[in-house]
Amino acid sequence: MVSPHTLSSLTHRLRAAGCVFAEDEAHLLATTAHTPDQLAAMTDQRCAGTPLEHVLGWARFCGLRIAVDPGVFVPRPRTEHLAHHAATLLPPHGTAVDLCCGTGALGAHLAHTHPDLTLHAADIDPASVACARRNLPGHHVHHGDLFTALPHHLRGHIDVLVANVPYVPTDQIALLPPEARDHEARHALDGGPDGLDLARRVAADAHHWLAPTGHLLIEVNDHQLPQASAAFTHGGLTPQALTCPRTDATILIGHR
């Protein structure tokens, strides 16, 4: 057990380094480290600007502890809005795909809420694929570019397709917090000139892969809704936008 003095000292260091939730982070570091030397090294990393989740090696998402490897996109709390809605759309014994899966956090939530689920996940980044395989034991995790990574037999049979594609416009990457900009792979953040390059690619091909009553879910910013909705419509999907005021999260659901 870490002494109150040690926790106080950790909190002071983290606060001085600019950590807004210094007290909470001190507790997480102290309870994750196995030795004083490891705690010191982890604290040094965090004070140097490494994302807390990369320092800890895990993130909390929808109540689950998700492994997060260095450089892999950290699942955000706002994406829980997408996860919860995706879970409500899954039928019994359904089939789901987590595209651009990163850690596989979305797939992990779907598998947790639907133990009878057939789940596939895919990412173009080898580090993300390795991380997702740790978080999705017993499920199928593929390496490749969007739908080209998936087995052909899934065409026309996916009930829920979640794709947390990057949607930050290229010229806004420099404005992101250093934790994301300097420690997460650029391809996991950069969505092209208007942030919707990947969203358009997914929307254009999704109808070939979705079941007749299937759904595609992505996350976007509010100002991107008109263009993203147009991409869904052009791809043969009926778009529906849902916003969570509490987390300022906006998702777009495409109904087949």
Side-chain angles (χ1 to χ4, degrees):
M1 180 178 291
V2 179
S3 70
H5 174 74
T6 298
L7 276 176
S8 177
S9 177
L10 277 177
T11 300
H12 178 76
R13 279 199 64 194
L14 292 168
R15 187 171 290 122
C19 299
V20 177
F21 303 105
E23 188 171 349
D24 293 338
E25 293 194 13
H27 176 75
L28 287 169
L29 291 169
T31 54
T32 299
H34 298 292
T35 67
D37 286 346
Q38 185 182 22
L39 178 58
M42 292 170 69
T43 303
D44 288 344
Q45 281 184 284
R46 182 62 184 127
C47 289
T50 302
L52 177 67
E53 295 82 2
H54 287 158
V55 176
L56 297 175
W58 59 271
R60 189 69 63 185
F61 184 81
C62 291
L64 302 176
R65 184 162 164 158
I66 303 295
V68 181
D69 292 338
V72 176
F73 183 81
V74 176
R76 273 50 166 180
R78 64 183 296 166
T79 306
E80 293 182 359
H81 180 52
L82 190 157
H84 293 313
H85 279 283
T88 66
L89 295 171
L90 267 171
H93 306 286
T95 297
V97 167
D98 183 357
L99 212 55
C100 299
C101 67
T103 61
L106 284 168
H109 174 68
L110 297 180
H112 178 73
T113 55
H114 294 74
D116 58 357
L117 176 69
T118 296
L119 175 66
H120 290 256
D123 203 287
I124 198 170
D125 174 39
S128 295
V129 170
C131 187
R133 284 175 176 158
R134 293 171 56 203
N135 288 314
L136 301 173
H139 299 286
H140 313 278
V141 182
H142 312 281
H143 177 220
D145 184 22
L146 299 181
F147 295 103
T148 63
L150 301 179
H152 190 267
H153 68 80
L154 288 177
R155 288 175 67 93
H157 295 286
I158 300 172
D159 297 298
V160 168
L161 171 61
V162 292
N164 192 22
V165 297
Y167 58 91
V168 180
T170 301
D171 63 3
Q172 294 182 24
I173 296 292
L175 305 178
L176 291 175
E179 290 182 348
R181 187 181 67 233
D182 298 337
H183 295 276
E184 293 177 327
R186 184 173 180 114
H187 64 255
L189 303 169
D190 192 341
D194 67 352
L196 295 174
D197 280 3
L198 271 292
R200 289 190 181 92
R201 289 181 58 198
V202 172
D205 289 336
H207 71 284
H208 296 301
W209 293 84
L210 291 174
T213 56
H215 310 275
L216 165 65
L217 297 92
I218 68 169
E219 186 176 280
V220 294
N221 282 320
D222 281 348
H223 70 271
Q224 295 172 320
L225 275 176
Q227 296 92 336
S229 296
F232 273 43
T233 301
H234 188 262
L237 304 175
T238 302
Q240 175 191 9
L242 295 173
T243 299
C244 176
R246 181 179 59 84
T247 59
D248 193 31
T250 299
I251 63 173
L252 194 61
I253 304 175
H255 305 279
R256 175 79 187 272

